[in-house]
Amino acid sequence: MLALIAFLPILVTVLLMAVFNWSAKRVLPLAWGLVCLIALAVWRMEPVHVLGYSLFGALKALDVIIIIFGAVLILNTLKQSGAMQRISNAFRHITKDHRLQAIIIGWMFSAFIEGAAGFGAPPALAAPLLIGLGFPPLAAAMIGLILNGTSVSFGAAGTPLLSAANSLTTSLDNAGPARLTMLLTEQVALLHALVGFFVPLIGLCFLVVLFGEDRSPKHAFAAMPFALFAGLVYVVPYYCTARFLGPEFPALIGGLVGLPILFWTAKSGFLAPKTQWDFPPPSAWATDWRSNLEPEENHGVEVGMPLWKAWVPYMLIAVILVTTRIPAFGLKTLLSSVKITIPRILGIEGLDYELAWAYLPGIIPFTLVAFLTHFLHGMTPAQTKRAWQNTFQQISGAAVALFFGVAMVQLMLNSHVNTAGLDSMMTTMARFMAAVAGNAFMFFAPFIGIMGTFVSGSSTVSNILFASFQYETALLLELPPVLTVALHVVGSAFGSMISFNNVVATCATVGMMGAEGRLIKRNLIPCLLYALMAVLAALLLRAGGIYARIW
């Protein structure tokens, strides 16, 4: 009964967003209020704790909002300078086929950015690039989220995977923490590689069926050689990096190796489809495919801008991300130490908020590079003003949704601080799923990961919350514990395509606030499909005895 009550706010949120198409900025304040009532009436939390953890969550939302702001600002700056138009034209010269463009940008370019920055930044950067190439905004948002899942576990220098490994307090065969981390890294990378090989093809299937003129999957299968090749040139260096170097660099190196290969492949026509595929003409687009922003005039588009100059902001972003995320350079520690701290919120011991603003990619590099671009591209004061004004207008709705959404999550996470002696709402839901699953628990493991990311908005948070729970439950049920945790980590990564934070952030960057429910509905099916494929891969590994050496 308690689990059903804990699930109620999530069910209400999904129902209102996915079925009734309410916007996130309408639904999430309501869901937060429902969680408050449950926390007070059922979990018997003190009112000061309910308010304190809600305020803490609202402050934590600033982290995400700053990332969104930076991503939208760099987009609007490049629009106003004319660089986005120049980049879009260059991609058209590489290939005019939207299927190949989706894979190059949504799969490979996003993977590189995920490896360096993570935290929702890749779809927020990739989707606007796709729109510049002629993608309907809803299609760009959808494919950007769907194709990004494989790289999430090793995003932001391996933070999600390391969070899972650090939460495991016990290990088998007296293996130390370092050994356990490498075992988990290898298993997660192997599962992701086995599934990820097919991800570009699956993503194309959803793209052409949902947004094609004749809605036929044959157009995806026509591009199957290129899609599978794209999967291969990413997952091979991805897995090898994880196997031999650890969790910090698989996504980064996979994207770095694969991106120039795909550029050459598409440019040369190797493995390319014989016929070109396109979306219906914009006049035939459904209303819900479109941005709800007013169409912009191309103020000051510099048609003659050299391509290298247009790409300089993105190159700066990539260089700064790499140098500030790899510990060996020393900048990661320096930037992480620059913080704004609010101790003891409402006098609650241990409830301290820290904003490491200099380390957030929304500030460095996104906002920094946007500022530099004003000078690099010779923008006028009027263009600069429009870029900043448009950015503030775009993120206003997302900010409301995120303030209440993250406040709700933090309240659910910390609801174990109560007078009723109950576990937190999150733990209660997970234990319920474990009890229902029984010996089929491995089947449910990735879905717990998806649930954690869907609610919390972060694969990292999902891993912190439930990795140790998955490990201990697997031990009790005599299942391979590291493989079970690996399934959770993989599920939490795929959950990013339907998580509130990522969906709201991506919708904000493409000007589709209010379309979050439609996007979640479209992404739910590939999310669940990926999870089922991961379970199948894990069962095959177990049956083949590959798991035995990590038991």
Side-chain angles (χ1 to χ4, degrees):
M1 185 62 181
L2 283 174
L4 297 178
I5 294 173
F7 269 115
L8 185 60
I10 299 174
L11 295 176
V12 169
T13 300
V14 173
L15 182 68
L16 292 177
M17 289 180 66
V19 178
F20 292 97
N21 291 323
W22 283 28
S23 68
K25 67 180 180 181
R26 291 179 63 193
V27 174
L28 293 178
L30 178 64
W32 169 77
L34 184 55
V35 172
C36 288
L37 290 176
I38 293 172
L40 291 168
V42 181
W43 261 255
R44 292 191 296 188
M45 293 181 67
E46 297 289 343
V48 67
H49 288 143
V50 171
L51 183 57
Y53 288 118
S54 295
L55 287 174
F56 177 74
L59 290 169
K60 289 291 290 182
L62 286 174
D63 297 42
V64 183
I65 292 169
I66 289 172
I67 294 173
I68 298 173
F69 178 86
V72 175
L73 179 62
I74 192 68
L75 164 66
N76 286 331
T77 300
L78 294 180
K79 279 183 178 179
Q80 293 297 325
S81 74
M84 185 58 69
Q85 184 65 42
R86 185 68 183 89
I87 291 172
S88 297
N89 291 339
F91 271 112
R92 290 189 183 96
H93 289 309
I94 293 174
T95 175
K96 295 182 180 179
D97 195 307
H98 286 313
R99 294 166 296 185
L100 275 56
Q101 292 169 348
I103 292 173
I104 293 171
I105 297 173
W107 169 249
M108 199 67 77
F109 176 71
S110 287
F112 173 77
I113 299 298
E114 181 69 47
F119 298 106
L125 285 176
L129 273 176
L130 293 173
I131 291 174
L133 292 170
F135 281 60
L138 187 64
M142 182 197 77
I143 200 68
L145 288 165
I146 287 176
L147 295 183
N148 187 52
T150 302
S151 59
V152 168
S153 292
F154 299 107
T159 299
L161 188 287
L162 291 170
S163 298
N166 292 338
S167 69
L168 303 180
T169 57
T170 59
S171 59
L172 296 174
D173 299 327
N174 297 316
R179 175 61 177 156
L180 187 61
T181 298
M182 286 303 297
L183 292 175
L184 182 60
T185 297
E186 180 183 352
Q187 288 302 297
V188 169
L190 183 56
L191 291 175
H192 266 314
L194 292 174
V195 176
F197 175 67
F198 300 99
V199 163
L201 177 60
I202 295 171
L204 288 187
C205 287
F206 283 93
L207 181 68
V208 302
V209 168
L210 292 176
F211 295 96
E213 195 159 11
D214 59 2
R215 299 178 182 271
S216 172
K218 68 181 182 182
H219 300 295
F221 291 115
M224 182 167 64
F226 185 89
L228 294 180
F229 180 73
L232 183 68
V233 297
Y234 176 68
V235 300
V236 169
Y238 171 93
Y239 173 74
C240 292
T241 303
R243 176 72 177 84
F244 297 107
L245 297 181
E248 289 87 356
F249 307 115
L252 195 70
I253 292 179
L256 193 62
V257 171
L259 194 57
I261 295 176
L262 284 194
F263 276 146
W264 174 82
T265 304
K267 182 72 173 176
S268 66
F270 178 62
L271 300 178
K274 294 181 179 179
T275 58
Q276 185 177 313
W277 180 83
D278 203 348
F279 296 101
S283 59
W285 290 357
T287 303
D288 65 354
W289 292 12
R290 303 174 183 273
S291 169
N292 50 29
L293 296 177
E294 291 294 326
E296 295 183 18
E297 298 178 18
N298 289 328
H299 295 284
V301 172
E302 188 180 340
V303 177
M305 179 184 290
L307 181 59
W308 68 265
K309 188 176 181 180
W311 269 106
V312 163
Y314 279 119
M315 290 188 288
L316 285 175
I317 287 172
V319 170
I320 294 172
L321 283 173
V322 171
T323 55
T324 57
R325 265 56 186 177
I326 297 177
F329 291 111
L331 291 174
K332 179 176 182 178
T333 301
L334 176 63
L335 294 179
S336 299
S337 64
V338 182
K339 299 176 181 178
I340 297 173
T341 302
I342 302 177
R344 294 171 53 87
I345 296 174
L346 296 185
I348 300 174
E349 187 66 35
L351 192 58
D352 305 325
Y353 170 70
E354 291 184 342
L355 177 65
W357 60 269
Y359 188 68
L360 289 175
I363 300 294
I364 300 175
F366 296 159
T367 300
L368 173 62
V369 171
F371 180 77
L372 294 175
T373 301
H374 298 157
F375 302 97
L376 292 170
H377 288 177
M379 295 174 63
T380 66
Q383 291 173 326
T384 299
K385 182 180 178 181
R386 276 192 295 269
W388 284 78
Q389 283 180 336
N390 292 343
T391 300
F392 280 110
Q393 290 172 1
Q394 277 181 256
I395 71 164
S396 58
V400 172
L402 288 168
F403 278 133
F404 284 97
V406 182
M408 176 186 74
V409 169
Q410 288 298 323
L411 186 53
M412 295 179 76
L413 291 178
N414 294 283
S415 53
H416 63 282
V417 182
N418 59 67
T419 60
L422 300 175
D423 290 326
S424 72
M425 296 182 199
M426 286 285 197
T427 302
T428 299
M429 289 186 286
R431 291 190 184 280
F432 172 78
M433 293 181 70
V436 170
N439 289 330
F441 183 72
M442 277 185 64
F443 178 85
F444 283 84
F447 297 98
I448 295 176
I450 290 172
M451 181 197 73
T453 303
F454 173 73
V455 176
S456 71
S458 167
S459 173
T460 298
V461 173
S462 180
N463 293 342
I464 291 171
L465 285 174
F466 299 127
S468 60
F469 161 77
Q470 298 258 30
Y471 189 91
E472 298 298 336
T473 303
L475 285 177
L476 290 172
L477 297 174
E478 297 185 352
L479 297 170
V482 178
L483 189 57
T484 302
V485 175
L487 277 171
H488 171 91
V489 174
V490 169
S492 73
F494 290 143
S496 65
M497 71 180 71
I498 59 170
S499 75
F500 294 138
N501 284 7
N502 282 358
V503 170
V504 169
T506 305
C507 283
T509 61
V510 300
M512 296 201 69
M513 291 306 299
E516 298 89 356
R518 296 195 297 274
L519 194 54
I520 289 174
K521 278 194 296 187
R522 283 169 168 79
N523 288 4
L524 181 60
I525 295 176
C527 177
L528 299 179
L529 177 61
Y530 291 168
L532 288 173
M533 292 173 65
V535 171
L536 178 61
L539 293 176
L540 290 174
L541 293 177
R542 187 184 182 196
I546 297 176
Y547 79 95
R549 62 192 177 83
I550 56 101
W551 171 262

